[in-house]
């Protein structure tokens, strides 16, 4: 257990509104990731971070932005939420020297 | 584009039966991981296989990496209701960033 907390755990929002999901970790892992999980697609990488203020795009980054101002926090922002962004979002972390990816419990987002 | 295909997508069997699920790709991976995800939670790592032909056992679970490092299987002996969950495979390719390619998962239900 890497001590990963996601907030909010559940959110319903309207189309066109901005949404920010927060990931907080207590293990000082350098790498952090945001994934979305949809039926039939598995886990798809949205953005990832190598360290503070060091981020890069994943395979499904359109419509999302991230920020990492502290080692322990990684924020995912949906700039203008759309119904296609209804999904379960997972934050994950990894140590520099390890190959295990640790996941948070997920954030369920519904865009209506 | 690397793809990982998992089969079957869904499997429902009786307690005590044996089963095998598969993870296949046309790409070569430097390592492959299996995760289990329970409802409402994030995936948890079960095993990492690195060497072609490698076999690892975790109690009643046997994992095998194909000789060419393109595929893997998970065999469960005498399945129990506690084995119920979504089984995900993830392949690591390249030697930087440690990005994973994820399969869509096999949803396994073990009936008492």
């Amino acid at each position: 257990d890497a001590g990963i907390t996601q907030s909010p755990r559940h959110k319903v929002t309207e189309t066109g509104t901005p949404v920010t999901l927060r990931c907080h970790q207590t293990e000082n892992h350098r790498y952090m990731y945001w994934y979305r999980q949809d039926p039939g697609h598995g886990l798809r990488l949205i953005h990832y971070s190598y360290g503070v203020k060091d981020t890069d795009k994943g395979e499904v980054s359109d419509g999302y932005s991230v920020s990492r101002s502290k080692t322990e926090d990684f924020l995912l922002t949906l700039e203008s939420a759309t119904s296609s962004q209804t999904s379960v979002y997972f934050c994950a972390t990894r140590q520099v020297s390890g190959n295990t990816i640790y996941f948070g419990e997920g954030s369920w987002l519904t865009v209506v | 584009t690397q793809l990982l295909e998992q089969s079957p997508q869904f499997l429902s069997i009786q307690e005590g039966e044996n089963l095998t699920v598969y993870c296949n790709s046309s790409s070569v991976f430097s390592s492959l991981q299996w995760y289990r995800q329970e409802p409402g939670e994030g995936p948890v790592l079960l095993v990492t296989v690195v060497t072609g032909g490698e076999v690892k056992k975790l109690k009643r679970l046997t994992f095998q990496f194909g000789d060419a490092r393109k595929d893997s299987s998970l065999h469960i002996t005498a399945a129990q209701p506690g084995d119920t969950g979504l089984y995900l495979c993830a392949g690591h390719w390249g030697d930087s960033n440690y990005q994973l390619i994820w399969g869509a998962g096999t949803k396994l239900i073990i009936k008492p």
Side-chain angles (χ1 to χ4, degrees):
Chain A
D1 184 3
I4 302 170
T5 305
Q6 292 185 227
S7 60
R9 293 291 315 281
H10 299 271
K11 185 174 181 64
V12 180
T13 192
E14 293 186 349
T15 298
T17 61
V19 176
T20 295
L21 304 179
R22 179 177 183 250
C23 178
H24 179 79
Q25 57 132 337
T26 59
E27 298 297 320
N28 201 36
H29 288 178
R30 178 174 172 182
Y31 299 124
M32 297 187 75
Y33 309 84
W34 275 108
Y35 286 94
R36 61 178 289 174
Q37 186 175 38
D38 304 286
H41 288 278
L43 287 160
R44 292 183 291 176
L45 183 65
I46 305 171
H47 282 279
Y48 59 98
S49 171
Y50 298 95
V52 174
K53 297 183 179 179
D54 193 356
T55 65
D56 206 348
K57 295 178 180 180
E59 61 181 298
V60 290
S61 61
D62 287 349
Y64 302 94
S65 62
V66 291
S67 66
R68 191 167 179 200
S69 59
K70 297 186 290 184
T71 298
E72 58 266 34
D73 291 327
F74 194 30
L75 303 181
L76 176 70
T77 297
L78 288 65
E79 295 139 9
S80 177
T82 67
S83 58
S84 65
Q85 293 176 312
T86 292
S87 187
V88 183
Y89 292 85
F90 285 98
C91 175
T93 71
R94 181 177 73 84
Q95 296 171 288
V96 171
S97 58
N99 61 13
T100 303
I101 293 188
Y102 300 90
F103 287 85
E105 293 183 321
S107 293
W108 275 253
L109 177 68
T110 302
V111 183
V112 298
Chain B
T1 302
Q2 288 84 354
L3 289 173
L4 268 177
E5 295 184 353
Q6 290 192 243
S7 61
Q9 292 182 343
F10 179 79
L11 184 60
S12 178
I13 63 173
Q14 293 294 137
E15 180 178 2
E17 295 184 8
N18 302 330
L19 67 107
T20 303
V21 298
Y22 301 91
C23 177
N24 295 302
S25 176
S26 58
S27 302
V28 176
F29 294 102
S30 55
S31 67
L32 192 138
Q33 298 181 317
W34 285 91
Y35 289 75
R36 180 168 66 203
Q37 183 178 18
E38 299 187 14
E41 299 182 6
V44 176
L45 179 68
L46 295 174
V47 76
T48 301
V49 286
V50 178
T51 306
E54 181 177 5
V55 177
K56 282 192 173 180
K57 292 190 175 182
L58 186 64
K59 297 183 180 178
R60 294 173 293 99
L61 278 61
T62 302
F63 304 85
Q64 183 163 7
F65 201 13
D67 291 341
R69 292 185 286 123
K70 294 183 179 181
D71 54 80
S72 181
S73 63
L74 159 59
H75 181 79
I76 301 179
T77 303
Q80 299 179 1
D83 296 325
T84 293
L86 179 67
Y87 288 80
L88 297 162
C89 64
H92 173 214
W93 58 275
D95 55 5
S96 65
N97 304 337
Y98 203 75
Q99 295 188 51
L100 296 179
I101 301 298
W102 293 85
T106 292
K107 187 172 183 180
L108 177 63
I109 295 177
I110 310 300
K111 295 176 286 188

